[in-house]
Amino acid sequence: MMKVLAAALVALGLTAGAVMASVEDQIRERISPVGEVCLEGEDCGTAEPAAASSDGPRSGEDVYAAACQSCHASGVAGAPVFGEADAWSDRVDKGMETLVSHAINGFNAMPAKGGCSSCSDEEIQAAVEHMVDEVQ
């Protein structure tokens, strides 16, 4: 009887030890860091930077709807209203290169890229062309 009791206690102890080790492993996994910081000059592996969208640049109409419309639909802070030829005529006379430069770099109350930091220069140019096409 003692041998059976001793064997049972040993088995219970081994099982409890295995369970505790498993729980501790689960805790370590849950509290482990989710990422690492790599400083310039350190050898941190060969991870590739995130790829840009494979869909290519957005259309001028899409960029206008996402970024430009908030000001150009109502004329906020003197922005020329979309579709109003009178509001755009003096600007169009300066040439497309100037309009695109102002849109990319900012001009008067308009911030650079109209505040669309995720927009490429090509997308901003497409949005300007979309707005100008509407008044010509």
Side-chain angles (χ1 to χ4, degrees), residues 65-79:
C68 310
Q69 185 175 17
S70 58
C71 293
H72 287 282
S74 61
V76 171

Side-chain angles (χ1 to χ4, degrees), residues 7-107:
L9 288 175
V10 169
L12 184 60
L14 291 176
T15 304
V19 168
M20 287 302 295
S22 174
V23 168
E24 288 175 0
D25 288 343
Q26 291 173 3
I27 292 170
R28 278 190 205 93
E29 185 178 328
R30 284 195 307 263
I31 65 172
S32 66
V34 294
E36 296 178 10
V37 174
C38 181
L39 300 176
E40 187 175 338
E42 292 180 356
D43 182 22
C44 300
T46 59
E48 295 293 321
S53 170
S54 61
D55 297 337
R58 294 173 283 181
S59 70
E61 185 175 358
D62 289 343
V63 174
Y64 171 80
C68 310
Q69 185 175 17
S70 58
C71 293
H72 287 282
S74 61
V76 171
V81 176
F82 182 77
E84 289 187 6
D86 290 341
W88 283 92
S89 63
D90 289 341
R91 291 167 173 90
V92 171
D93 290 345
K94 293 178 183 177
M96 186 60 75
E97 186 176 323
T98 300
L99 284 174
V100 171
S101 175
H102 288 171
I104 291 172
N105 300 308
F107 187 73

